[in-house]
Amino acid sequence: MTKILVVDDSNSIRDMVSFTLKSAGYQTVEAKDGLQGLSAAKASSFDLVISDVNMPNMDGIALCGELRKLPSF
């Protein structure tokens, strides 16, 4: 099953994206900001990451940069 990491600081957006993906048969993991998303990415493998850009603690651009440093990405 395809596993997708959804990173967004907005609860409603995160819930909507995850609900839509789950309805289509995907497995999702949610994170509320880039730091939490990076932590999730280090703990598990994902086929796709969907991220907001403007978030507190670590924005989506910084998250992408950190993900690219990981061998699994």
Side-chain angles (χ1 to χ4, degrees):
M1 179 181 290
T2 302
K3 191 172 176 182
I4 301 172
L5 176 60
V6 178
V7 187
D8 199 306
D9 59 323
S10 168
N11 290 335
S12 59
I13 297 294
R14 201 171 56 243
D15 290 346
M16 180 185 64
V17 170
S18 289
F19 174 80
T20 302
L21 292 169
K22 287 178 184 176
S23 296
Y26 298 104
Q27 180 182 0
T28 65
V29 173
E30 299 178 23
K32 66 179 180 178
D33 61 33
L35 288 177
Q36 194 177 66
L38 182 60
S39 178
K42 288 179 177 179
S44 186
S45 63
F46 294 93
D47 299 293
L48 177 69
V49 176
I50 298 174
S51 178
D52 186 12
V53 174
N54 295 315
M55 296 181 288
N57 302 318
M58 179 186 287
D59 65 26
I61 303 299
L63 172 61
C64 287
E66 292 299 314
L67 290 174
R68 288 177 183 227
K69 295 177 185 177
L70 301 176
S72 59
F73 283 86

